[in-house]
Amino acid sequence: MAQSSLSEIFESYTNTVGLFKDKGALSSDFSPSNIPHREKKIEELAYMLAPVLRNEKPSNIFIYGKTGTGKSLCIKKVTDSLEEAAEKSGRNVKIMYINCKMGKVVDTQYRLLVKILSMLGENVPFTGLPTNTLHKKLNEKLAERGGNIIMVLDEIDALLEKIGDDILYNITRISQDVPNTQITIVGISNKPTFVDSLDPRIRSSLSEEEMVFPPYNANEIKDILQARVETAFNENAVDYGAITKCSALAAQENGDARRALDLLRVAAELCEREKCKKVSERFVNSAQEKLDKDRLIEIIKAQPKQSKLVIISMLNLYKLEKKAVQTGDVYNLYEKLAHANGLKALTQRRVSDLISELDMLGVINASVVSKGRYGRTRKINIQLNKSLVSVLKNTLAGEFTEDFINF
Ligand SMILES: Nc1ncnc2c1ncn2[C@@H]1O[C@H](COP(=O)(O)OP(=O)(O)O)[C@@H](O)[C@H]1O
Ligand SMILES: [Mg+2]
């Protein structure tokens, strides 16, 4: 790019007022002072946890609800404020917030214990000690500390998928083993069915209190967005129609407030790039496309190689036939590509499962058509737009030779 045009870009930024007053207010870790439509939940949580201010142990709480329904936000709000109140009144209360899904932090029982110990000011090596030693250290540390601990295990389903539910049993037992310390667990899950999968003993101790966060409806999301628009944007920078559109789209997607905020943020970025002064509905539509595309690319990148070959086979066939492709044809091509690629071809049955998985992930749209006495075969509609196909080519090109990629 020529230097003069670069300086034009930068000048256009220095000489004008942008859309944003405080862009950080649209980021995922921003904590809004106003949390509409969750006043009741926040109050209930506050009452549930307040007994620590009288040195009593609250019930363990289990919170569940779909992504983006405000669970993490509300628990943080309540525990922050509780921590302050405890400090002011000199109560011995410690809040531990652990997001079980964040990176590698807690993918083993050992790591979780290391994390908990470090939050208690005890640094232990990341590997090498027997887990029992860590449990002992933890009990010692807790006995020394005393008082109440509120341990928030956010996205607890991720933790249990990786390390099983023994750990919860162990933690719920700590209160009995260390008499002067009381631990209250607040478990949070995005999967409503998660509690049903727990061992009944653990379930009953974990969910002494249960709280459900329902999805937001379009009007509720609109209120949330409007409050955020006031903090994040300069006056008149966002069209009312754009807010309505973001809310409607997010309401369709499980009432996810995070999605609404993402849509608004990306729409504003696209608007800024076009040097437009007002975020309108048009940018929200483009934002939706961009977010869907990014999501799909992430999903496809994360697939195992065999799945990627199935995707490539479908795309190649689709280009050739320009219409819905059939499972049998996909398999034949896949088999060839697998051999050419030095991989052992999976069975047709297994490939069929992979196709179902891709369907569930939203990469493709597979519909079953009956084929009489030859049994069932699936017609697969591939829903992809042109720009996505070229991005996919680039994504997959690094991993496979060019002759594979004929779409
Ligand atoms: N009632 C609300 N008011 C303001 N912002 C909200 C509200 N509910 C959710 N959000 C915002 O939406 C996003 C998702 O909320 P979060 O608490 O992370 O959802 P969950 O933990 O249920 O997946 C966050 O950026 C959060 O700030
Ligand atoms: Mg959360």
Side-chain angles (χ1 to χ4, degrees):
M1 187 178 275
Q3 256 175 18
S4 62
S5 57
L6 268 182
S7 61
E8 268 166 35
I9 294 178
F10 294 138
E11 260 164 40
S12 77
Y13 267 74
T14 40
N15 295 339
T16 54
V17 183
L19 299 168
F20 298 112
K21 184 158 69 187
D22 174 12
K23 192 177 176 191
L26 295 176
S27 79
S28 57
D29 50 7
F30 179 78
S31 178
S33 52
N34 180 7
I35 306 184
H37 302 293
R38 288 298 183 237
E39 296 85 354
K40 257 264 169 56
K41 299 280 174 209
I42 289 176
E43 193 182 305
E44 273 178 53
L45 278 171
Y47 276 118
M48 286 178 187
L49 294 174
V52 292
L53 297 172
R54 294 187 183 146
N55 300 323
E56 295 159 9
K57 185 196 172 312
S59 300
N60 292 331
I61 308 171
F62 193 77
I63 302 174
Y64 60 95
K66 295 205 164 130
T67 5
T69 51
K71 303 179 298 297
S72 302
L73 179 63
C74 291
I75 195 69
K76 276 191 204 142
K77 185 87 179 174
V78 172
T79 51
D80 281 355
S81 168
L82 179 62
E83 200 165 32
E84 252 174 52
E87 229 160 75
K88 255 197 214 146
S89 57
R91 295 291 193 260
N92 185 359
V93 176
K94 166 116 188 139
I95 313 280
M96 282 187 196
Y97 174 87
I98 300 176
N99 186 322
C100 306
K101 211 174 184 173
M102 289 300 256
K104 278 215 145 85
V105 191
V106 290
D107 58 354
T108 60
Q109 175 151 192
Y110 191 95
R111 276 179 193 265
L112 178 64
L113 289 168
V114 169
K115 172 103 183 163
I116 294 172
L117 279 163
S118 85
M119 285 175 141
L120 291 166
E122 175 86 14
N123 290 318
V124 290
F126 279 110
T127 51
L129 299 175
T131 315
N132 267 348
T133 311
L134 293 194
H135 272 295
K136 234 169 91 198
K137 262 199 199 314
L138 180 59
N139 284 2
E140 277 164 28
K141 199 73 199 168
L142 290 172
E144 186 187 308
R145 189 173 194 292
N148 266 293
I149 292 185
I150 295 176
M151 189 185 287
V152 181
L153 296 173
D154 202 349
E155 316 233 11
I156 191 171
D157 39 323
L159 172 73
L160 298 207
E161 261 166 34
K162 287 179 204 143
I163 63 183
D165 52 14
D166 292 2
I167 182 73
L168 284 184
Y169 184 69
N170 293 339
I171 294 175
T172 50
R173 292 249 346 202
I174 289 175
S175 293
Q176 292 153 33
D177 297 347
V178 187
N180 60 336
T181 304
Q182 298 169 315
I183 298 193
T184 303
I185 301 183
V186 181
I188 304 179
S189 166
N190 288 333
K191 288 189 196 146
T193 54
F194 168 75
V195 273
D196 302 330
S197 68
L198 289 173
D199 179 315
R201 270 181 318 171
I202 296 168
R203 180 187 174 154
S204 63
S205 76
L206 197 63
S207 57
E208 290 165 338
E209 299 271 8
E210 280 190 17
M211 192 184 262
V212 183
F213 278 58
Y216 293 114
N217 65 34
N219 283 329
E220 289 169 335
I221 296 182
K222 196 147 77 181
D223 291 338
I224 293 170
L225 279 187
Q226 252 166 338
R228 205 65 77 90
V229 163
E230 278 169 29
T231 326
F233 289 90
N234 289 317
E235 219 170 309
N236 291 326
V238 184
D239 234 5
Y240 185 68
I243 299 178
T244 310
K245 183 81 192 184
C246 291
S247 316
L249 290 173
Q252 280 165 23
E253 293 209 17
N254 302 319
D256 177 350
R258 184 180 294 114
R259 177 73 179 187
L261 288 164
D262 286 345
L263 281 168
L264 186 62
R265 193 194 65 249
V266 174
E269 284 165 356
L270 294 172
C271 172
E272 208 162 46
R273 222 164 290 164
E274 278 192 24
K275 300 197 179 65
C276 265
K277 300 246 178 314
K278 198 163 201 158
V279 184
S280 61
E281 206 176 317
R282 166 167 79 88
F283 292 109
V284 178
N285 290 329
S286 311
Q288 163 99 334
E289 232 172 75
K290 180 171 187 311
L291 286 170
D292 281 349
K293 196 160 102 181
D294 292 350
R295 181 181 150 264
L296 216 55
I297 291 169
E298 282 315 304
I299 290 173
I300 289 178
K301 272 192 194 157
Q303 293 302 309
K305 205 158 186 173
Q306 296 276 14
S307 254
K308 285 184 181 141
L309 279 178
V310 174
I311 296 170
I312 290 174
S313 307
M314 289 190 289
L315 287 171
N316 285 346
L317 280 176
Y318 187 70
K319 167 138 191 244
L320 229 70
E321 304 188 3
K322 295 262 183 308
K323 58 176 175 32
V325 296
Q326 315 257 334
T327 344
D329 299 337
V330 173
Y331 185 75
N332 291 340
L333 183 56
Y334 154 81
E335 214 179 5
K336 273 190 212 139
L337 295 183
H339 286 311
N341 203 50
L343 286 176
K344 189 168 180 303
L346 301 170
T347 60
Q348 183 148 2
R349 175 84 200 253
R350 183 70 195 108
V351 167
S352 195
D353 289 345
L354 288 179
I355 292 175
S356 301
E357 275 167 34
L358 293 170
D359 187 22
M360 269 187 330
L361 289 168
V363 176
I364 54 161
N365 191 345
S367 46
V368 182
V369 287
S370 172
K371 260 220 158 174
R373 64 195 176 98
Y374 298 110
R376 280 165 173 276
T377 178
R378 259 179 306 185
K379 247 190 194 156
I380 307 162
N381 285 310
I382 305 182
Q383 287 181 338
L384 292 174
N385 61 33
K386 274 224 170 82
S387 59
L388 182 58
V389 171
S390 69
V391 181
L392 275 184
K393 271 188 176 176
N394 294 333
T395 311
L396 295 165
E399 230 179 305
F400 301 93
T401 51
E402 252 175 56
D403 9 323
F404 280 76
I405 306 194
N406 291 317
F407 52 86

